[in-house]
Structure formats: C-alpha cells, structure tokens
Amino acid sequence: MLPSLSATFIHSGPSEPLQTEGFRFVRENQTIKATLYITVVMNVLLFPYVQMVPIIARDILHVDAALMGALQAAEGLGALVGAVLIASAARLNYHGRVFLGGSLLALLGLCVFSMPRWYILSLPVLLLLGLGTAGFGAMQSTIVMLAAREEMRGELWVCSAWLSVLVPLVLSSWGQQRVLSTRCLPCA
C-alpha cells in the first residue's frame, strides 16, 4: 500500500484559513520562499514555450517536422549537457547561484529565441536554453531539501504539488491572450 501523502492541517483561528504546516514553513523560510517564487515564474514564463515550438517552426522559421524535431532536441541536448556538468562537479557550494543563473539563462534564451527568423540561429539558442533549465531543474529540489528540516520535507512536497496545480488553474482562468501577453513582459 502506498504511504499517505496527505498534509497535516492546522486551523490557526477564525481569521486565518486552513493551512498546512508546510505552507507555514515556506512562509517563514526565505530561501525556500524565494525558490518557490522563481519556480512559479519559470512555470509561467518559460516552460509553456514548448507547446509553441511547432507553430514557430512552421509559421516563422518555415521548416518541416523533422527540423522542428531537431529544434526541440537541441533544448534536450542542452539540458543533458548541463545535467552532466552539474553532476560531475566535484564540489558544488553555490546551489543558489546555479539555480538563479540557470533560470536567467533559460529566460534569456527564450527571449532570444523569440527574435530570430533564421532556423540556424535558433538551434544554439535552444541549446543554451536547455543548459539553463538544467541548472534550474537540478537545483530547485536540492535547495528546498537542503534548506528544510528533515521532518518538513514531505510537507514541502505537498506545497510544491499544490503550486503545480494552482498556477495553471489561475492562468487558464485569465484567458489565452492575457497569458501570452504576460509571458512577453520580460522581453519587452
């Protein structure tokens, strides 16, 4: 039987809503709070681009399905190279710098990817974007686990799961045009 993943709920009083210990811990821990804020920004602004690549490939870069696949593979190759570089680091003391640097590199890569009209320039840009996502992805959980007390780690996974569900729900209620406009703000 699978272990229960439910959170322990605590009612703080009539003026505060029902909340988990994990959310309270996140609110009090600046490192974890900053990590989750950056995660929300990345999930809103960066990762939805993947669904747009086929349209960009066809309508802007004017390439066929095979070259579009190579375009998407470039990001994957960059992520693989980045993960190998991170994993092979003998001592990695600056998790936050790798996390923030990777996040910024990926967002910068997305902004640059939105500009060129030439396929050949898009490949290395997506390779760099993949390097950035490796730094973001590898350090996201690492930072949370290192910053959390051992007994809080399960609770923090529940908080992270809630964010993964709530952010897309909120965005879908905004409407497609407003969401696309929001994604373009960092590049403006």
Side-chain angles (χ1 to χ4, degrees):
M1 178 161 265
L2 292 174
S4 173
L5 296 177
S6 64
T8 306
F9 287 96
I10 297 174
H11 188 61
S12 302
S15 62
E16 290 188 51
L18 203 58
Q19 59 187 343
T20 69
E21 294 235 12
F23 284 112
R24 181 177 293 150
F25 186 77
V26 166
R27 202 171 52 231
E28 295 168 0
N29 187 306
Q30 296 301 315
T31 302
I32 295 173
K33 190 185 329 182
T35 302
L36 292 179
Y37 283 152
I38 291 170
T39 299
V40 168
V41 167
M42 294 292 284
N43 287 337
V44 170
L45 297 179
L46 177 73
F47 294 115
Y49 93 92
V50 174
Q51 290 83 11
M52 297 178 206
V53 170
I55 297 161
I56 292 168
R58 184 192 67 208
D59 295 347
I60 296 172
L61 301 174
H62 306 291
V63 296
D64 62 8
L67 291 177
M68 185 270 299
L71 200 60
Q72 289 187 312
E75 192 261 339
L77 179 62
L80 177 64
V81 169
V84 168
L85 290 173
I86 291 168
S88 63
R91 265 187 94 101
L92 190 63
N93 294 325
Y94 302 106
H95 301 94
R97 291 180 187 173
V98 173
F99 178 68
L100 184 60
S103 300
L104 293 174
L105 180 63
L107 289 170
L108 179 66
L110 181 61
C111 289
V112 174
F113 174 66
S114 70
M115 295 176 198
R117 305 272 185 222
W118 302 288
Y119 178 80
I120 198 71
L121 293 177
S122 297
L123 285 169
V125 168
L126 287 181
L127 190 79
L128 288 174
L129 189 149
L131 280 169
T133 60
F136 164 79
M139 292 299 119
Q140 176 188 22
S141 298
T142 303
I143 291 170
V144 171
M145 293 300 110
L146 289 174
R149 297 187 315 259
E150 189 172 338
E151 68 271 9
M152 291 305 301
R153 292 177 181 164
E155 295 284 338
L156 294 175
W157 284 114
V158 171
C159 294
S160 179
W162 273 107
L163 284 174
S164 297
V165 170
L166 292 176
V167 169
L169 285 175
V170 169
L171 289 178
S172 67
S173 70
W174 282 7
Q176 190 175 31
Q177 188 64 37
R178 188 179 299 162
V179 171
L180 287 174
S181 299
T182 303
R183 285 191 196 129
C184 295
L185 287 177
C187 299

